[in-house]
Amino acid sequence: MQDLTDAGFGGVEIRAAPTRTEIVIRASRPQDVLGDKGRRIRELQSVIQKRFGFAEGTIELYAERLLNRGLSAQAQAENLKYKLLGGLAVRRACYGVMRNVMESGAKGVEVVVS
């Protein structure tokens, strides 16, 4: 899922049924997951089929918009990563993430940087 970080990856849900498996990818920008005319999601589907040995046509990939990015720990961790890689001071980056989470309606937040 390393390819999905630029799309604001926020999690994945897998629904298994006897005839097929549905994988729902949640991202803040689902159009980036889909790619140009659905090309990127078809490539992901092909990679997953080959890597995990699914038969052709037994797996379906979907992209959903992340409902509340501020309450997604994974999305906030990616946000913090980009801030730190961009050269922002650690304390300032963490406070920015904390403010974003609290403004989204969370009751509390803990950020650990090691």
Side-chain angles (χ1 to χ4, degrees), residues 8 21 26 34 37 50-51 65 67 77 95 98 106 108 110:
T21 304
R26 290 197 175 84
L34 295 173
K37 297 182 183 175
K50 289 175 185 164
R51 180 177 288 173
R65 178 173 287 290
L67 295 178
Y95 278 143
M98 289 173 63
E110 179 181 10

Side-chain angles (χ1 to χ4, degrees), residues 11-80:
V12 66
E13 179 184 344
I14 301 172
R15 297 183 208 132
T19 57
R20 68 180 188 169
T21 304
E22 294 179 352
I23 300 175
V24 180
I25 300 169
R26 290 197 175 84
S28 56
R29 292 180 302 282
Q31 64 275 13
D32 290 349
V33 175
L34 295 173
D36 188 37
K37 297 182 183 175
R39 180 172 170 237
R40 189 169 186 195
I41 200 160
R42 284 194 304 273
E43 289 174 355
L44 284 169
Q45 187 170 346
S46 175
V47 167
I48 291 171
Q49 279 178 345
K50 289 175 185 164
R51 180 177 288 173
F52 297 106
F54 285 101
E56 192 72 30
T58 60
I59 188 169
E60 289 288 327
L61 258 65
Y62 301 102
E64 280 185 3
R65 178 173 287 290
L66 194 58
L67 295 178
N68 196 342
R69 186 168 171 21
L71 297 179
S72 171
Q74 203 159 14
Q76 291 306 315
E78 289 295 326
N79 186 14
L80 180 61

